[in-house]
Amino acid sequence: MSGDLVLRGGRVIDPAAGLDTQADVAITDGRIAAIGPGLTGHRVEDVTGHIVVPGLIDLHTHIYRGGTSLALDPLAITRMSGATTLVDAGSAGASNFEGFRDHVIRPAPMRIFAFLNISYAGIFAWKPGLMFGESSDLRLLDMAECLRVVQENRDTIVGVKVRLGSYASGAMGLAPLDMALEVAEAAGVPVMAHIDYVPPTGREVLDRLRPGDVLTHACKGFPNSLLRGDGRILPAALAARARGVLFDIGHGTISFDQDTAARLADLGFVPDFISSDLHAMCVDGERFHLLTVMSKMLAIGVPLAEVIARATATPAAYLRQDDLGTLRPGAVADVTALALDGTALRLAGCWIGGKRFDL
Ligand SMILES: [Zn+2]
């Protein structure tokens, strides 16, 4: 078996295929052609000593660069983390999604999907010293426009984002969530809910989420933590998970608490998705990109294959992208190569549609 390109000698881990083996990966015409020993190709890249995984998927980023103050350049995110699919979590609203789509999403080499903010403006005024919550004034929440833009962009928009909490929605309580849920219901898409400070409470939000909806910032500390003061999991979180609500890490800056994550993992409550919530305020100093967050999960004892699954197979299935998040023959040749040192993952290379992405 031969291919245009062969990645030779790596340890291939593909949780979707139940694969963890020393093998070559052959790529032809932008698709995975074969996995196995002794493959030959027109070009060969040596990845000996590295872990070769399906192109990573970061379910929570902010990449409407130039359109929103919290956004980062998607190229920079892929360069840091090797994520070949990025999902923007509500940077754009109905008023500016067209700009995001035409100026950022379409020209980008990596794959980009988006949750559309229920707020017409998207996240528009957000920097140190200035936080105007886009859901803090209900006049900004135009349900009809949100629904229209979701319906007109089904190839790209995967759900509705709502940010709740005193930072994001002021004193509006649950009203923005109810509005987002109603739009999502009409469009047949999920909601991703962010929660910061009370009001509302995490319990109130969890009680309203439907199967398939996502709560992000799942490992945040007090307040609105999924852990109670007695070290047990909030019953509302257990009930939500039992009925099919999904949980996303969305690390960000203040949205992740290592002790909370460790305790949740000890209790068997590892979030479904490992994601970065990388934005303009978390790239100075330590960079909390996807590999950093995956490394943190390894450090608290989550097995490697499970960590990889939560940034490949699980989000791909959630996005209904059968061709992504796996290295089975026929899948899109998005591939990430990683170096593992203890529990620290470092990027060694990535390929998008079989083309090496210049780090
Ligand atoms: Zn976010």
Side-chain angles (χ1 to χ4, degrees):
M1 186 72 201
S2 69
D4 300 337
L5 170 67
V6 166
L7 307 177
R8 179 166 290 164
R11 173 184 171 192
V12 177
I13 301 181
D14 179 6
L19 206 65
D20 183 348
T21 183
Q22 209 73 28
D24 302 335
V25 178
I27 295 167
T28 297
D29 294 333
R31 301 247 163 201
I32 303 295
I35 307 264
L39 302 180
T40 56
H42 299 298
R43 283 181 304 120
V44 174
E45 295 197 47
D46 185 15
V47 290
T48 304
H50 294 147
I51 296 170
V52 177
V53 302
L56 297 175
I57 300 173
D58 192 339
L59 194 78
H60 191 149
T61 64
H62 292 283
I63 48 178
Y64 183 9
R65 187 175 181 232
T68 54
S69 58
L70 84 165
L72 293 172
D73 184 343
L75 292 170
I77 294 184
T78 299
R79 259 181 223 123
M80 278 183 239
S81 66
T84 55
T85 297
L86 305 177
V87 181
D88 183 280
S91 301
S95 69
N96 53 3
F97 181 76
E98 193 178 339
F100 182 32
R101 183 193 64 202
D102 292 353
H103 303 313
V104 176
I105 296 175
R106 286 193 176 150
M110 74 292 291
R111 294 160 225 293
I112 299 178
F113 300 95
F115 284 86
L116 187 71
N117 203 305
I118 183 63
S119 179
Y120 189 63
I123 304 173
F124 64 94
W126 201 90
K127 72 175 187 68
L130 173 61
M131 288 258 181
F132 189 99
E134 76 278 6
S135 293
S136 63
D137 185 330
L138 295 187
R139 288 175 300 176
L140 289 170
L141 276 59
D142 189 322
M143 293 165 62
E145 277 296 279
C146 186
L147 177 60
R148 177 184 67 79
V149 173
V150 172
Q151 287 173 331
E152 288 176 2
N153 294 279
R154 289 195 181 273
D155 56 336
T156 311
I157 296 178
V158 296
V160 175
K161 177 77 185 283
V162 60
R163 295 200 318 131
L164 303 159
S166 58
Y167 274 15
S169 57
M172 292 302 113
L174 293 163
L177 175 59
D178 286 341
M179 295 164 89
L181 285 167
E182 189 152 344
V183 172
E185 189 79 42
V189 297
V191 159
M192 180 191 273
H194 148 120
I195 178 92
D196 51 72
Y197 295 92
V198 183
T201 65
R203 182 176 53 76
E204 291 174 301
V205 173
L206 285 163
D207 283 348
R208 277 172 148 76
L209 294 180
R210 310 159 305 160
D213 290 335
V214 181
L215 183 83
T216 188
H217 309 317
C219 296
K220 76 185 292 299
F222 178 84
N224 274 341
S225 172
L226 297 188
L227 268 190
R228 302 192 308 194
D230 63 1
R232 292 168 189 264
I233 298 172
L234 206 64
L238 294 170
R241 182 168 247 193
R243 71 175 183 275
V245 172
L246 298 157
F247 292 83
D248 170 48
I249 287 185
H251 185 295
T253 39
I254 55 165
S255 305
F256 182 90
D257 177 65
Q258 184 93 0
D259 293 341
T260 300
R263 175 72 185 157
L264 286 171
D266 282 349
L267 295 169
F269 201 101
V270 179
D272 301 279
F273 308 115
I274 297 179
S275 71
S276 69
D277 187 20
L278 208 56
H279 55 65
M281 271 152 59
C282 49
V283 284
D284 295 335
E286 193 184 348
R287 294 174 157 190
F288 302 117
H289 56 71
L290 184 58
L291 295 180
T292 323
V293 188
M294 291 170 71
S295 301
K296 287 189 178 195
M297 298 311 280
L298 287 174
I300 63 176
V302 182
L304 180 61
E306 284 187 35
V307 168
I308 292 167
R310 283 164 164 77
T312 56
T314 311
Y318 188 68
L319 297 169
R320 296 183 184 170
Q321 298 294 318
D322 299 345
D323 282 358
L324 301 180
T326 177
L327 296 174
R328 73 175 151 63
V332 165
D334 288 1
V335 185
T336 306
L338 303 168
L340 180 63
D341 180 9
T343 57
L345 288 165
R346 186 174 52 71
L347 182 60
C350 84
W351 296 262
I352 300 176
K355 288 200 185 74
R356 179 178 259 281
F357 181 81
D358 203 358
L359 301 179

